[in-house]
Amino acid sequence: MFDLAVFGSLFLTLFVIMDPPGITPIFLALTAGRPGKVQKRMAFQAVCVAGGVITVFGLLGHQILNYLHVSVPALMIAGGLLLLLIALDLLTGKTDEPKQTKDVNVALVPLGMPLLAGPGAIVSVILAVQKAHSVATQVSVWTAILAIHVVLWLVMRYSLVIIRIIKDGGVVLVTRLAGMMLSAIAVQQIINGVTQVIRGS
């Protein structure tokens, strides 16, 4: 009642797209300055939000997109633009201003969505669920989805140790690097969306 090939394929795909190692500096940058307990809670919340979004789209993805008359490329472009705005904030240091960020739950947006549950992950899950015609493949697909979210939580949860090592100056550096990485991800996502639009026209 388990298809290891389906599990491995989807898990690796989601690992590349959701990028647990790559999310670490972004998570540290967005949660910098908050107490350790709050950061741990935000890591769990982000994974729960991402898991909830992925689950909803896995079950009802096609229906939701068709009802809203939204194409997958449009979803990718919109997500890329949102990430680009967040990346610009990181690069310009706006996230260093306590009044603007301390009361904002970044576990919901942008961590939970669109960073973790982004268009790429959503589309991959929609296609995987659509192709899973047997009970064994369905179990494998949802097990892979659960497994990648556990990995994401563990990576973010224990990345907090890094803060104790790099101190405040290191956090500023990580924030700028995270902004550069995130802007590159955002631009690539927009390019992918535009490319799909051109191919489909």
Side-chain angles (χ1 to χ4, degrees), residues 147-167:
I148 191 61
H149 282 83
V150 171
V151 170
L152 285 166
W153 174 74
L154 289 173
V155 169
M156 289 190 292
R157 165 69 173 76
Y158 291 102
S159 67
L160 300 177
V161 178
I162 299 174
I163 294 180
R164 302 185 191 128
I165 300 174
I166 63 177
K167 306 299 182 183

Side-chain angles (χ1 to χ4, degrees), residues 4-201:
L4 186 59
V6 172
F7 170 86
S9 176
L10 182 58
F11 180 83
L12 288 176
T13 299
L14 291 177
F15 189 91
V16 171
I17 293 173
M18 301 177 88
D19 192 14
I23 201 67
T24 300
I26 298 173
F27 171 74
L28 292 175
L30 292 175
T31 62
R34 293 174 171 84
K37 289 184 179 180
V38 174
Q39 290 176 309
K40 293 174 185 176
R41 185 173 69 247
M42 293 177 80
F44 182 73
Q45 289 175 337
V47 170
C48 288
V49 169
V53 172
I54 291 291
T55 300
V56 170
F57 275 94
L59 296 173
L60 304 169
H62 280 292
Q63 293 88 330
I64 293 173
L65 294 180
N66 289 337
Y67 178 77
L68 297 174
H69 302 290
V70 174
S71 66
V72 171
L75 184 66
M76 296 178 70
I77 294 171
L81 290 173
L82 178 59
L83 289 181
L84 188 58
L85 290 175
I86 297 164
L88 291 175
D89 280 347
L90 290 174
L91 284 170
T92 56
K94 289 185 179 180
T95 53
D96 295 335
E97 299 176 22
K99 291 183 180 179
Q100 291 186 359
T101 62
K102 297 304 180 185
D103 297 327
V104 176
N105 190 352
V106 296
L108 306 181
V109 177
L111 278 175
M113 183 178 181
L115 280 177
L116 297 181
I122 289 173
V123 172
S124 297
V125 169
I126 290 175
L127 294 176
V129 172
Q130 186 179 18
K131 294 176 182 177
H133 300 298
S134 66
V135 175
T137 51
Q138 283 283 353
V139 170
S140 302
V141 164
W142 290 106
T143 303
I145 293 171
L146 176 62
I148 191 61
H149 282 83
V150 171
V151 170
L152 285 166
W153 174 74
L154 289 173
V155 169
M156 289 190 292
R157 165 69 173 76
Y158 291 102
S159 67
L160 300 177
V161 178
I162 299 174
I163 294 180
R164 302 185 191 128
I165 300 174
I166 63 177
K167 306 299 182 183
D168 291 341
V171 170
V172 174
L173 176 61
V174 167
T175 300
R176 300 298 181 268
L177 291 174
M180 291 181 61
M181 292 170 54
L182 193 55
S183 62
I185 293 171
V187 171
Q188 186 61 57
Q189 192 164 288
I190 294 171
I191 291 173
N192 292 342
V194 172
T195 302
Q196 289 193 26
V197 171
I198 294 174
R199 289 177 179 173
S201 60

